[in-house]
Amino acid sequence: MDRILIRGGVPLAGTITIGGAKNAALPLMAASLLTAEPLVLANLPDLADIRTMANLLVQHGVTVTIPADAADQPGHVLELSACHITSTTAPYDLVFIVYSDQLAEVPAAALKAAVVEKLEKAGVLA
């Protein structure tokens, strides 16, 4: 972990903006399914994985919007509302996109087996 070493007897003042982290954002986005209350996430990184997860959540009935005051906040801001979940089955093409960056080019049967294994480990499949 990076750190800042400060020497001297002068009091500090000011702010430091911390960049958003994809590995923190994706589980928080998924957590929107656990409440009917709106969830506002700020300082999200502008990555394809974030957009894919937002698309996946929309497929389940989650409303994903950019709040009107988003320009006043650091990074990208999304408001997620899962008050009307319409589906509990993820479309294969989106699941494939989420996991494809972790898999090398392999024959279709091996690819399917790898995806099924990851989903079983994640507790999505019984």
Side-chain angles (χ1 to χ4, degrees):
M1 179 175 170
D2 292 332
R3 56 186 165 172
I4 299 172
L5 178 62
I6 301 167
R7 295 176 195 247
V10 180
L12 298 177
T15 60
I16 297 174
T17 302
I18 305 298
K22 174 189 77 166
N23 290 338
L26 294 176
L28 290 172
M29 292 174 73
S32 69
L33 292 167
L34 302 175
T35 180
E37 298 294 320
L39 173 65
V40 178
L41 298 176
N43 202 22
L44 296 171
D46 183 21
L47 298 172
D49 288 353
I50 299 294
R51 291 186 294 275
T52 299
M53 178 61 111
N55 191 6
L56 179 62
L57 291 170
V58 167
Q59 298 293 320
H60 291 294
V62 176
T63 304
V64 179
T65 58
I66 299 173
D69 63 347
D72 300 336
Q73 301 182 35
H76 294 276
V77 181
L78 292 179
E79 181 174 318
L80 307 139
S81 176
C83 58
H84 299 293
I85 296 175
T86 58
S87 173
T88 58
T89 304
Y92 176 78
D93 58 331
L94 287 178
V95 172
F96 178 77
I97 289 170
V98 170
Y99 286 103
S100 65
D101 66 340
Q102 301 171 17
L103 302 171
E105 286 189 30
V106 294
L111 178 61
K112 181 180 176 184
V115 170
V116 168
E117 180 184 352
K118 285 187 174 282
L119 292 174
E120 286 174 343
K121 285 182 181 177
V124 176
L125 298 177

